[in-house]
């Protein structure tokens, strides 16, 4: 602090000297400044590696901004991708995307993660097997018996969620799952079957399928 003050006073003083003396005094000042810097008494401001506080703050603010812009661009890309996905009629499945429901079935627990994947989880510690990744929603006719417990797809056109390209089956194709949706007041995996090796069928009750039924999509159960 003192050293800087001293230097500025001497520089101003230099301006009042006659030409020849000015050169002598100037050289003397330069060498004493160098000496002060070398001995750590005066800060060396000419050093390009030591950035000023203001420059550092500005640089960090800019880097922060650049990062934010990159994040926003990535979010936008994800949103655009998301818009291309099939979330069912009136986007009814958008809100439950990623949520999972399970059913206990003998050797395995089967898991359905909405618009994500289906899994077969070994209870004997043999790991998890991917039974397919969500690809889209189709509609198919069904003609099932009514059940006393109400856990039936009934008769009519139903939504079928296709989960494909799961883990490869030994000596066979990649596993896949058709998830058939029936109307139910609560979300529940009713049953899982494997009629053909590594081709699974899940029957699932969900209120989301009732909205579809109410929209008049051929539900005979309601008409009876
Ligand atoms: C495992 C399970 C079965 C499947 C066989 C095929 O045991 O994933 O569901 O049928 O592998 O080898």
């Amino acid at each position: 602090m003192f050293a800087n003050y001293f230097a500025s006073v001497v520089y101003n003083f230099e301006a009042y000297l006659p030409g020849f003396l000015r050169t002598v005094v100037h050289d003397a000042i330069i060498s004493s400044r160098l000496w002060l810097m070398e001995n750590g008494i005066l800060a060396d401001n000419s050093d390009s590696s030591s950035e000023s506080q203001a420059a550092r703050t500005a640089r960090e603010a800019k880097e922060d901004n650049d990062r934010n812009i990159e994040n926003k661009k990535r979010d936008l890309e994800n949103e655009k991708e998301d818009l291309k996905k099939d979330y069912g009629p009136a986007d009814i499945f958008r809100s439950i995307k990623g949520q999972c429901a399970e059913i206990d079935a003998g050797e395995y627990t089967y898991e359905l993660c909405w618009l994500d994947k289906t899994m077969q989880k070994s209870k004997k510690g043999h790991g998890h097997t991917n039974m397919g990744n969500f690809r889209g929603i189709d509609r198919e006719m069904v003609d099932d018996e009514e059940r006393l417990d109400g856990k039936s797809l009934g008769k009519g056109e139903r939504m079928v969620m296709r989960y494909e390209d799961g883990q490869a089956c030994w000596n066979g194709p990649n596993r896949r799952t058709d998830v058939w949706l029936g109307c139910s007041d609560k979300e529940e995996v009713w049953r899982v079957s494997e009629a053909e090796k590594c081709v699974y069928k899940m029957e699932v009750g969900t209120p989301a399928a009732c909205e579809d039924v109410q929209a008049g999509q051929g539900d005979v159960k309601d008409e009876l």
Side-chain angles (χ1 to χ4, degrees), residues 154-224:
K155 298 181 200 317
E157 195 181 75
R158 297 289 176 266
M159 283 186 277
V160 189
M161 293 180 144
R162 308 286 188 202
Y163 287 71
E164 287 160 15
D165 304 316
Q167 204 165 307
C169 189
W170 189 73
N171 258 348
N174 287 349
R175 287 174 172 77
R176 65 180 183 84
T177 311
D178 283 342
V179 177
W180 287 74
L181 303 184
C183 169
S184 169
D185 54 3
K186 65 172 193 275
E187 207 170 277
E188 195 178 17
V189 181
W190 287 336
R191 63 194 72 84
V192 180
S193 49
E194 188 183 349
E196 201 182 310
K197 199 170 158 191
C198 293
V199 180
Y200 305 87
K201 177 182 181 186
M202 271 189 183
E203 289 167 68
V204 179
T206 169
C210 304
E211 291 177 32
D212 193 46
V213 165
Q214 277 155 18
Q217 303 282 351
D219 181 67
V220 177
K221 190 160 73 179
D222 269 12
E223 287 163 16
L224 293 174

Side-chain angles (χ1 to χ4, degrees), residues 56-73:
R56 184 161 61 244
T57 309
R59 178 177 51 76
E60 285 171 0
K62 184 182 178 301
E63 284 167 3
D64 237 33
N65 251 345
D66 290 349
R67 255 196 309 276
N68 274 341
I69 290 172
E70 280 313 307
N71 287 345
K72 293 250 156 55
K73 275 189 194 158

Side-chain angles (χ1 to χ4, degrees), residues 33 55 57 74 104 112 223:
R33 257 183 88 84
T57 309
R74 212 178 24 247
D104 193 292
L112 159 70
E223 287 163 16

